[in-house]
Amino acid sequence: MTPSEEIKYLRDELNRHNRLYYVEAAPEISDMDYDMMLKRLEALEKEHPELDDPLSPTHRVGSDINKSFAQVAHERPMLSLANTYNIDEVDDWARRCNDTLGGSEFHAVVGEMKFDGTSISLIYKDGRLVRAVTRGDGEKGDDVTANVMTIKSIPLQLTGDDVPSDLEMRGEIVLPWKAFDRLNEQRAFNEEPLFANPRNAAAGTLKLQNSAEVARRGLDAYIYYMLGDNLPADNHYDNMMVARRWGFKVSDAMTLLSSLKEVDDYINHWDTARKELPVATDGLVFKINSLKQQLNLGSTAKSPRWAIAYKFKAERALTRLKYVSFEVGRMGIITPVANLEPVLLSGTIVKRASLHNEDIVRQLDIHQHDMLYVEKGGEIIPKITGVDTSAREPGAAEVEFVKFCPDCGTRLERVPGEAAWFCPNRYGCPQQIIGRIRHFVGRHAMDIDGVGEEISATLFATGLVRNIADFYDLTVDRLMLEGALGPRTAERIMEGVEQSRTVTFDRVVYSLSIPYCGETVSRKLARSTGNIDRLMNMSEIEFTAIEDVGPRIAAAVVEFFALDINRTTVERLRNAGLQMAMPEGQDQAGSDELAGKVIVISGVFAHHSRDEYKAMIERMGGKNSGSISKKTSFVLAGENMGPAKLEKAKALGVPVIGEDEFLKMIGD
Ligand code: IVH
């Protein structure tokens, strides 16, 4: 096989296995074999950059480069759906459609899930994905192509000889329950605000500026609509089945229904069966099957008349409030929690529900021992939605938000401009210190195995660890004697401590518990500063120049390192041998390879977007310019560079460099 043949073979095979894995859930090869094929392809593409293709499976991992989204007009507006919570109204809708369409037989309806995510329009030209746009306002949306390309169940290249040259597919991007739980667990651990439901999480993820992070979160996509001129079939259902053959993920729940009874049965079945699905749904959608009939029925300005959504009712239970507890997080934020008489809701027993903050407690007007409504709609975390005031005990007192820290007794302060109260005794409040100890040993931080909630508290209580740097003064003997830990546990902890000396600098930054610095921000800070000394000494203005770092984070970092206690901790960690700089080549502190160069970008590129090239140039000390002049160092030219520009460059003797040459030049 020639390299070009092998590359083609590997791309086709990887695409096929992707589909087997992500769309059909029927993998044929092991993850390891898959990874090996991917690595081989990566190596070949590196050796033969001329054979690269932006749609190659190797590009699915995403890029770290920042993009702001361009707005794109939809060729056909993205309408919404009329909806109802009532089965009779679905029947009325079906009857109305049938009356309008005439004829004696029932006109077939397609029943499908209403996925609770965020809608997407996918544009394919000659079978290749060229653009992915969010719904936006229905007329225009954000171009999120780079992020969508990381979603493995969305085919980049369609397979089939009946794929129309111009095709639009619409569907829903969702974050499956498992990925949603994982994401929220991690956010809870970082004390970052949780996503209320998978819908918000999917929408938020799709709008991230960092497609590598998007790839990590595990989005999925279901297709429910095909548009274009030369569609394979004259009805929706068959088109969806063909879409599946082309490589799209179409829900198995999609069913052709040919009577009102079948419609009703479908609703009754999925009302409960949907709870077993791996993704969130908030209802069902019914569509008239024949495309001609759809056209006949037409649309209102807002929604098509040929479709209706039936929405599931959120499940609700009534239970008594035992008491409200106030919990202190590692950053000192106080969260009120309703402790409830256990109640069964959507198959799980609910005992606790977060009340989030003081404003929410006030709005709900909760009194001691009130009967509370608990709901679980699209939300995984149960939510208190109201109070049954008729069941209130006479004279029951209002629930008062605490004024003093429930742990250390310090008077609480309010975060300016926010609803949250916090305990300002950051370095003396036991719960906060224990929280930071737990954070320090966490899997995404120093990964010191064997230290859970209980042992963190023990280490603190016995005085063995009062500061994260104390871990490096521990010995097996001290853990056994002073901490009363068993030899196995003590040894395991010391092994973890030893290992932690090799943990990379970005995770060291994360493990410091700098306010507002979760995993992503910490990684950014570490990579863009390169080492601890720069991180400790940069100014607020300098920090805000880093992508994703706003004024609030910048101020928090500067404030953190202004405190002696934190500087001392860092010095102790440095002396203990922790990594205090990024390894060579992994920092993006910026280089000066293009220092002093003025560069004009022109044309269309295959490997990176224009914005990416602009960002790269700036990072390397170069300057972007819009027009060619004598000062221009060179033109970075993609495909279709305008002839006028080319002429001008020639006339002024400005070199014109192609994309690959440029990438070689900067060592990419
Ligand atoms: S069809 C013209 N089918 O629901 C009709 N939409 O409220 C286009 N949705 O914006 C929509 N599952 O994001 C359709 N099986 C499904 C759906 C679905 C979820 C979403 C979609 C749309 C919203 C309308």
Side-chain angles (χ1 to χ4, degrees):
M1 253 197 275
T2 66
S4 137
E5 281 165 351
E6 188 177 356
I7 286 178
K8 179 168 182 333
Y9 166 80
L10 286 168
R11 283 180 188 157
D12 289 348
E13 271 298 279
L14 285 163
N15 280 331
R16 189 172 73 84
H17 288 299
N18 253 334
R19 176 175 161 181
L20 285 168
Y21 187 92
Y22 289 101
V23 179
E24 293 172 27
E28 278 176 8
I29 57 170
S30 70
D31 290 358
M32 197 176 88
D33 289 342
Y34 179 90
D35 289 341
M36 282 173 49
M37 275 165 74
L38 194 67
K39 287 226 167 74
R40 172 77 189 138
L41 179 59
E42 268 167 5
L44 280 171
E45 286 177 347
K46 209 165 172 191
E47 265 171 48
H48 301 278
E50 74 284 0
L51 298 175
D52 195 19
D53 179 334
L55 297 191
S56 167
T58 52
H59 295 310
R60 289 237 194 214
V61 285
S63 125
D64 258 325
I65 293 165
N66 189 339
K67 289 175 211 67
S68 49
F69 302 110
Q71 291 257 308
V72 182
H74 294 297
E75 266 175 52
R76 311 163 187 86
M78 286 180 85
L79 302 180
S80 67
L81 291 171
N83 66 46
T84 172
Y85 286 87
N86 188 324
I87 195 164
D88 294 333
E89 285 183 19
V90 177
D91 291 354
D92 288 346
W93 164 83
R95 276 195 210 98
R96 229 173 20 245
C97 288
N98 269 280
D99 288 349
T100 313
L101 296 169
S104 54
E105 270 180 46
F106 184 82
H107 296 288
V109 166
V110 180
E112 44 193 89
M113 290 297 129
K114 187 170 189 304
F115 294 105
D116 202 9
T118 182
S119 41
I120 193 77
S121 153
L122 304 169
I123 307 292
Y124 288 83
K125 297 263 183 252
D126 299 319
R128 288 163 69 91
L129 176 69
V130 292
R131 206 176 323 115
V133 186
T134 63
R135 179 172 185 275
D137 61 5
E139 298 290 335
K140 57 182 182 327
D142 284 329
D143 183 336
V144 288
T145 314
N147 285 347
V148 164
M149 277 179 61
T150 69
I151 304 174
K152 304 258 179 41
S153 47
I154 293 182
L156 303 179
Q157 171 82 61
L158 305 183
T159 44
D161 48 19
D162 51 348
V163 179
S165 58
D166 281 293
L167 176 71
E168 176 174 0
M169 300 299 284
R170 290 193 187 159
E172 198 82 352
I173 292 184
V174 292
L175 192 67
W177 286 117
K178 263 199 192 145
F180 171 72
D181 290 344
R182 196 173 56 214
L183 177 63
N184 260 354
E185 257 168 44
Q186 200 187 319
R187 290 174 76 89
F189 196 67
N190 290 340
E191 289 191 34
E192 289 165 339
L194 300 189
F195 284 113
N197 50 49
R199 177 187 352 111
N200 294 357
T205 301
L206 200 60
K207 295 283 182 75
L208 284 177
Q209 294 292 340
N210 175 338
S211 56
E213 175 63 19
V214 177
R216 270 192 287 276
R217 291 206 184 162
L219 292 171
D220 201 349
Y222 288 90
I223 294 302
Y224 51 62
Y225 198 28
M226 185 191 289
L227 298 99
D229 288 335
N230 296 305
L231 301 187
D234 64 357
N235 69 83
H236 174 57
Y237 186 81
D238 288 344
N239 278 335
M240 289 298 103
M241 296 306 118
V242 173
R244 195 181 270 162
R245 169 160 60 73
W246 289 343
F248 291 101
K249 189 164 189 165
V250 175
S251 164
D252 288 333
M254 193 175 276
T255 310
L256 207 51
L257 306 164
S258 35
S259 69
L260 272 188
K261 177 160 187 318
E262 282 184 22
V263 170
D264 293 356
D265 289 348
Y266 189 82
I267 294 179
N268 290 326
H269 171 72
W270 283 109
D271 226 335
T272 47
R274 65 167 179 126
K275 288 175 200 151
E276 310 295 320
L277 294 174
V279 294
T281 53
D282 62 339
L284 303 171
V285 180
F286 296 97
K287 298 172 182 167
I288 294 292
N289 189 31
S290 151
L291 300 188
K292 210 163 128 204
Q293 291 176 353
Q294 289 185 1
L295 214 58
N296 262 328
L297 290 163
S299 301
T300 69
K302 270 176 38 200
S303 51
R305 287 195 198 85
W306 47 263
I308 191 166
Y310 166 82
K311 300 261 270 196
F312 300 125
K313 288 181 205 69
E315 283 186 68
R316 194 163 85 149
L318 194 60
T319 188
R320 192 168 295 282
L321 172 69
K322 293 207 289 192
Y323 59 95
V324 174
S325 56
F326 293 87
E327 301 186 359
V328 192
R330 117 186 111 93
M331 299 301 185
I333 303 287
I334 311 291
T335 307
V337 176
N339 292 263
L340 309 162
E341 293 286 357
V343 63
L344 191 68
L345 191 62
S346 313
T348 52
I349 293 175
V350 178
K351 291 186 204 150
R352 286 157 54 85
S354 169
L355 290 163
H356 303 287
N357 58 46
E358 186 184 19
D359 291 356
I360 295 198
V361 177
R362 283 258 168 82
Q363 272 160 27
L364 289 165
D365 185 30
I366 300 180
H367 288 55
Q368 305 290 352
H369 309 300
D370 265 350
M371 290 299 285
L372 302 180
Y373 288 106
V374 195
E375 259 183 39
K376 234 178 180 185
E379 276 86 74
I380 184 109
I381 302 157
K383 201 164 135 185
I384 305 290
T385 52
V387 178
D388 177 5
T389 45
S390 69
R392 182 167 288 163
E393 290 169 0
E398 252 177 65
V399 168
E400 292 268 353
F401 206 89
V402 284
K403 298 267 179 305
F404 298 91
C405 175
D407 197 46
C408 71
T410 306
R411 180 176 279 281
L412 301 180
E413 291 176 16
R414 202 155 190 174
V415 180
E418 287 179 30
W421 287 91
F422 72 99
C423 165
N425 184 18
R426 188 155 269 154
Y427 300 97
C429 176
Q431 274 311 317
Q432 294 188 52
I433 301 173
I434 295 171
R436 287 196 297 271
I437 294 175
R438 286 199 57 215
H439 174 74
F440 186 75
V441 300
R443 214 156 42 86
H444 295 264
M446 290 294 107
D447 195 16
I448 300 175
D449 210 12
V451 188
E453 196 149 348
E454 225 170 284
I455 293 190
S456 300
T458 308
L459 292 176
F460 176 81
T462 52
L464 281 168
V465 182
R466 287 281 159 106
N467 176 301
I468 51 176
D470 292 343
F471 272 103
Y472 299 91
D473 295 336
L474 292 176
T475 60
V476 170
D477 286 348
R478 289 189 66 204
L479 284 170
M480 285 171 62
L481 292 173
E482 296 166 49
L485 299 179
R488 285 255 171 89
T489 313
E491 270 163 28
R492 202 155 99 211
I493 295 175
M494 288 319 295
E495 264 166 39
V497 168
E498 196 46 50
Q499 289 278 339
S500 72
R501 293 190 165 97
T502 60
V503 165
T504 48
F505 177 53
D506 49 344
R507 281 166 55 185
V508 173
V509 173
Y510 175 59
S511 76
L512 294 175
S513 284
I514 306 170
Y516 304 115
C517 298
E519 234 180 319
T520 311
V521 170
S522 301
R523 197 180 307 126
K524 288 263 160 70
L525 288 172
R527 289 196 181 170
S528 39
T529 57
N531 63 59
I532 193 78
D533 294 305
R534 284 195 71 200
L535 179 65
M536 286 204 290
N537 297 309
M538 262 166 61
S539 68
E540 274 184 53
I541 304 256
E542 286 173 300
F543 278 122
T544 45
I546 300 174
E547 90 172 347
D548 286 349
V549 174
R552 192 176 71 162
I553 298 176
V557 180
V558 169
E559 195 183 321
F560 183 86
F561 288 115
L563 291 177
D564 279 342
I565 181 167
N566 295 325
R567 294 185 92 91
T568 311
T569 303
V570 168
E571 287 320 317
R572 288 182 61 202
L573 294 175
R574 193 201 306 256
N575 291 335
L578 263 61
Q579 301 296 316
M580 291 297 170
M582 285 311 279
E584 279 301 298
Q586 278 197 35
D587 55 353
Q588 297 178 346
S591 58
D592 49 9
E593 277 171 275
L594 298 175
K597 297 259 190 295
V598 179
I599 300 159
V600 173
I601 301 184
S602 177
V604 188
F605 298 92
H607 300 292
H608 299 277
S609 71
R610 284 171 79 95
D611 286 344
E612 285 171 1
Y613 279 120
K614 279 191 184 159
M616 277 186 210
I617 289 169
E618 269 163 30
R619 260 207 317 277
M620 294 182 184
K623 211 174 144 242
N624 289 292
S625 160
S627 58
I628 301 173
S629 72
K630 271 191 289 187
K631 289 198 192 127
T632 309
S633 313
F634 62 86
V635 178
L636 168 56
E639 302 257 321
N640 302 332
M641 173 178 169
K645 273 201 174 150
L646 201 58
E647 278 291 295
K648 190 160 180 197
K650 259 194 199 153
L652 293 172
V654 173
V656 176
I657 293 183
E659 187 176 12
D660 291 329
E661 201 179 332
F662 176 73
L663 288 173
K664 244 184 242 157
M665 173 170 138
I666 61 169
D668 184 270

